[in-house]
Amino acid sequence: MLASNPNLTKCPFFPTRYVPISRSFHITCSVSQLQSAAEVVNGRVPERNEIRLGLPSKGRMAADTLDLLKDCQLSVKHVNPRQYVAQIPQLSDLEVWFQRPKDIVRKLLSGDLDLGIAGFDTVSEYGQGNEDLIIVHDALDYGDCRLSLAIPKYGIFENINSLKDLAQMPQWTEEKPLRVATGFTYLGPKFMKENGLNHVSFSTADGALEAAPAMGIADAILDLVSSGITLKENNLKEIEGGVVLRSQAVLVASKRSLIQRKSALDTTHEILERLEAHLRAEGQFTVTANMRGSSTEEVAERVLSQPSLSGLQGPTISPVFCKRDGQISSDYYAIVICVPKKALYKSVQQLRAIGGSGVLVSPLTYIFDEETPRWRELLSALGL
């Protein structure tokens, strides 16, 4: 039918699509975008020199992402807030593109982005298991939430406390299915099917889903939950086995881009190392103290006798030199250990108990490993 229409012609980049002859050279997307899409279809990463990183454009996730990058000495230079592109001066070949989280995932798949930061829930929903998406860092420590099924506390659901109970309710039939309101139209049906709930219908909704059961337009909701307070205030409850996934911000990349473009892999390595070093140092403190002793071994034995003073790999002990009567002597030794915040005061107490004095405490900014474990995992996943 379309092929026989004299007013239509095949699109030069997508042969299965037709465009009006009069507009065949005025296609709404640019030629470069079409070429980019065609290259991705053919399994090639579009040719360009810059590496593109997609960041959330609005909301709490956007602010927390910028804060994290700043803490890693990767501050984003955004001269004009009306523009969607920015730079990170420390990474000269990188462009930052501000996008909606779901568009970050889509553009990673289309080849228009190489890297992105988004919630794991968004990556799972819009990535739909695509093998070209690879999680580079799965725990950026913000944006924590869970995608969870919630039902009313009242009525026929009053005694329903688990997914198994919900699935066994006789009310759900092909003619009258369980009605679920959700914005997760991929993960929702997939989760229900995997858990034996066959008679389910989904209505797409955004915004305040919590009102849907009370309004009578849904029996349950499937939505992101942080504290659960909003659910309780709307007489809803989570049920055992009803958590689809737990989510937080993740660094995700295009697998094709990392394999085919060395500069993208090198940039990813630097970003990953900075992230790992900063996140590992979060909540860690350096504790330094002086202690009298006859030798480093004798001081080490005293320090290691205390359970909170082992540090990351053990204490660092070195002599403290002073000059007395024209002679260099070392009656004291300096002890340096790394301790987590929750054990800080206990560690100071134990140091003083074994003769430590002049205790100094300072927060750690970075802890760089010999090699980042996630880097090894990434290279293995890429087959490199």
Side-chain angles (χ1 to χ4, degrees), residues 169-195:
M169 291 179 70
Q171 284 89 343
W172 319 129
T173 64
E174 190 172 345
E175 293 75 24
K176 189 180 178 182
L178 173 70
R179 299 169 303 158
V180 179
T182 186
F184 291 84
T185 55
Y186 170 74
L187 292 175
K190 182 174 180 288
F191 176 76
M192 293 297 194
K193 184 177 180 180
E194 290 173 349
N195 286 277

Side-chain angles (χ1 to χ4, degrees), residues 53-68:
L53 169 67
L55 299 183
S57 55
K58 295 179 181 178
R60 179 67 180 272
M61 177 75 79
D64 288 347
T65 299
L66 294 179
D67 287 344
L68 173 63

Side-chain angles (χ1 to χ4, degrees), residues 15-34:
T16 59
R17 299 184 188 176
Y18 290 81
V19 296
I21 288 176
S22 60
R23 296 174 58 196
S24 58
F25 296 102
H26 301 279
I27 303 170
T28 55
C29 52
S30 69
V31 171
S32 62
Q33 287 176 309
L34 291 168

Side-chain angles (χ1 to χ4, degrees), residues 135-252:
I135 302 294
V136 178
H137 198 300
D138 60 351
L140 297 182
D141 281 354
Y142 65 95
D144 293 70
C145 59
R146 57 190 177 275
L147 179 58
S148 188
L149 186 67
I151 59 175
K153 295 179 179 179
Y154 49 85
I156 61 173
F157 299 102
E158 185 175 0
N159 297 316
I160 303 300
N161 296 304
S162 70
L163 191 63
K164 183 178 179 182
D165 293 341
L166 184 65
Q168 292 175 347
M169 291 179 70
Q171 284 89 343
W172 319 129
T173 64
E174 190 172 345
E175 293 75 24
K176 189 180 178 182
L178 173 70
R179 299 169 303 158
V180 179
T182 186
F184 291 84
T185 55
Y186 170 74
L187 292 175
K190 182 174 180 288
F191 176 76
M192 293 297 194
K193 184 177 180 180
E194 290 173 349
N195 286 277
L197 283 90
N198 299 315
H199 302 308
V200 184
S201 67
F202 291 87
S203 59
T204 304
D206 294 313
L209 297 182
E210 293 84 2
M215 295 178 69
I217 59 178
D219 302 303
I221 67 170
L222 183 67
D223 201 10
L224 295 175
V225 180
S226 296
S227 65
I229 293 175
T230 305
L231 291 180
K232 292 177 182 178
E233 291 178 345
N234 286 275
N235 288 317
L236 298 175
K237 63 183 178 182
E238 295 179 85
I239 56 177
E240 181 184 343
V243 176
V244 178
L245 57 76
R246 298 188 183 277
S247 179
Q248 62 177 298
V250 299
L251 175 64
V252 62

